[in-house]
Amino acid sequence: MKTKSASISIIGMGYVGLCTAATFASRGIRTIGIDIDQVRVEQISKGKAPLHEPQLDSMLKNAVRKKLLDATSDISLAADTYATFLTVGTPSQQDGSIDLSYIKNATEDLGNVLRDKPGYHLVVVKSTVVPGTTNGVVKRFLEQSSRKTVGSELGLCTNPEFLKEGTAINDALHPDKIVIGSNDKKSASELTRLYHRFYGSKLPPTILTSPEAAELVKYASNAFLATKVSFINTIANIAEQIPGVDVGKIAEAIGLDPRIGPLFLNAGPGYGGSCFHKDLQALINYSQNKNYDPVMFRATEETNEQQANRVVGLAEKLLGSLPFKRVAVLGLAFKKDTDDIREAASIRVINQLYKKGARVIAYDPMAIPNTRKQLQEQIDYAENARSALKGADCAIIMTEWEEIRKLKAKDFQAHMKTPNVVDARRVYNPEEFSGLNYASIGLGPSTGIKNNSP
Ligand SMILES: NC(=O)c1ccc[n+]([C@@H]2O[C@H](COP(=O)([O-])OP(=O)(O)OC[C@H]3O[C@@H](n4cnc5c(N)ncnc54)[C@H](O)[C@@H]3O)[C@@H](O)[C@H]2O)c1
C-alpha cells in the first residue's frame, strides 16, 4: 500500500466516510479510509462499495485503480497523512441522548498513533455531534492520548456533513455550503485550504464559526427539515377530512411563496433514515439538560411516529379489518436510491400490520437484505413488485422507487385478489386509479377512497 504521500485519512467508512473518501480521491487527493470492520475494508480495497449509493461504485473502482484511495483497519496509517476526518456513527442511547462511544474510541486510537508524529496534524470532526463535543470530549481524549496540545501541534475543527443518502456523491461534489467551526485560526485556514484544493475556484459559500455553532448548524438544519415534513403531514391529515381537497395542491400553492419554498413539502408516511430521528432526539435531550424543553421538536417527532398509524389506518379502512389479510408492502428503503432502512417508515408500518394480524409480503429493489437482517422471517419477501401483488388483499406504497412509480392501475388489478391500494408516497394519479379502491395520504374523501366497504 502506498501511504507516504497520502494527504488525508478518514476514520469510519460508512455512508458519510466512504462517499467523502471517494470524492476526495476523485479530485486527486490521496485518501486512506480506516474502519474497524474488516469485511468492509476488504470490499472497499477491491473497489467495491459495501452499500448502495448511485455513482459510488464506479468512483470507488476508479480511485482504487489509480491508487488514490486505500482502505485499511490499521489506524497507525493515519499518522502518515496530513489531516484526519472522523466520520464514525453517533447513534442514540436508550434515552435519546447521543452515544459518543464511537467518537471517543476513534479519537483515543487516533491520539495514540499521533503521539510520535513529528509536525502538525489536523483533526476534523465530521460526524454529527451535540454542541460542546468537539471542544469537550474530542479535545480532551485527543490531548490525553497524543500528549499534544490542540492549537499548537494539533489542529481541531468541526465540519458537519450535509450530504443526503441517494444523492450523496453529487451532494459531496456540489454542497450548498461548507461550515467550519474552530477555536484557532490555523485549523480553520488549513481546512479551508484543503477545500480550496478540492473545489478550486468553485469553493461553496464557507461559514467560519465556533465549534459549538457549527455543531448546532447541523442539528438546526435537520430539525428544520424534519419539522417541514411533519408540518406538511399535519396539513395532509387535515386535508383528508375535506371532500375534494388534495394536499398536493396546498403544497404547490404554499411552495410558491419564497419564504416557504417548494422542497420538502411532499406529504407521506413520515420521515426515516439514520439522521432525522436520532438527531432530533439528541437535540431534545441536549436541550432538556440545559433546562429548555423544545416542545416544537417533540411535536415534530410525535407527528412523525403517528404518521405510520395513519397509513395502516387507511389500509384498515379499505379492508374493513386486517387480521389474516395479505398486505403487499412495496418499498422498504427510507427513500428511493438507497438500501438503507434505518428508521424507515416501512418498518413502523410493517410492525403495526403484523401486530394487527395482517400477513405481510414485501418487495424492494435494494433493501431486502437489510430488512431481512432486521425483521428476519417475520414477513415474506417477493422477488419483484408483481409477485408481491399476487393474491394480495391490499398494497401499500412505501418508497417512491421508479420501478414502483411506473406500475399502472391494471398491474394491481391483474395480480391482486382485491385491488385495494394505499398510496402512502402519493406516487400515482388518483384519477388513473379511479377503478380501484384507492386511498392516499392527504387526499380528501370525494376524490380519495372510492369504496371503503370491506
Ligand atoms: N448517513 C447520512 O446520510 C449522514 C449525513 C450527514 C451526517 N451524518 C453523520 O455522519 C456520521 C456517520 O454516519 P454514517 O451514516 O456514515 O454512519 P455508518 O454507521 O454508516 O458508518 C460508521 C462507520 O464507522 C465505523 N467505525 C466505528 N467505530 C470506528 C472506529 N473506532 N474506527 C474506525 N471505524 C469505526 C463503523 O464500522 C462504520 O463503518 C454520523 O454522526 C451521522 O449522524 C450521516
Side-chain angles (χ1 to χ4, degrees), residues 11-12 14-16 35-36 87-88 90 128 161 165 278 342:
I11 304 182
Y15 276 89
V16 169
D35 205 289
I36 45 175
T87 55
V88 296
T90 46
T128 303
E161 180 54 61
E165 287 177 25
K278 91 160 166 76
R342 290 180 286 181

Side-chain angles (χ1 to χ4, degrees), residues 10-18 34-37 40 51 72 75 86-91 98 101-107 109 126-129 160-165 168 218-219 222 274-275 278-279 334 340 342:
I10 301 182
I11 304 182
M13 287 286 96
Y15 276 89
V16 169
L18 187 55
I34 299 163
D35 205 289
I36 45 175
D37 182 338
R40 191 165 276 242
L51 47 95
T72 179
I75 197 167
L86 294 175
T87 55
V88 296
T90 46
I98 189 167
S101 57
Y102 298 99
I103 287 279
K104 287 179 184 167
N105 290 340
T107 307
D109 292 348
K126 204 171 234 326
S127 300
T128 303
V129 291
E161 180 54 61
F162 301 94
L163 60 72
K164 306 177 285 297
E165 287 177 25
K218 176 64 191 174
Y219 284 97
N222 276 356
S274 66
C275 291
K278 91 160 166 76
D279 290 350
F334 84 92
D340 199 346
R342 290 180 286 181

Side-chain angles (χ1 to χ4, degrees), residues 49-65:
L51 47 95
H52 175 75
E53 185 60 46
Q55 299 180 61
L56 179 60
D57 251 327
S58 60
M59 212 173 217
L60 207 55
K61 210 174 281 163
N62 251 332
V64 170
R65 188 172 48 80

Side-chain angles (χ1 to χ4, degrees), residues 9 32 63 66 134 153 181 187 194 218 229 257 281 287 291 310 324 328 336 362 376-377:
S9 45
I32 297 179
K66 290 184 182 162
T134 304
E153 309 107 296
S187 306
L194 182 64
K218 176 64 191 174
V229 173
D257 183 333
Q281 285 299 318
S287 181
N291 291 321
R310 295 203 59 95
F324 308 109
K336 69 171 181 173
Q376 278 132 25
E377 304 311 317

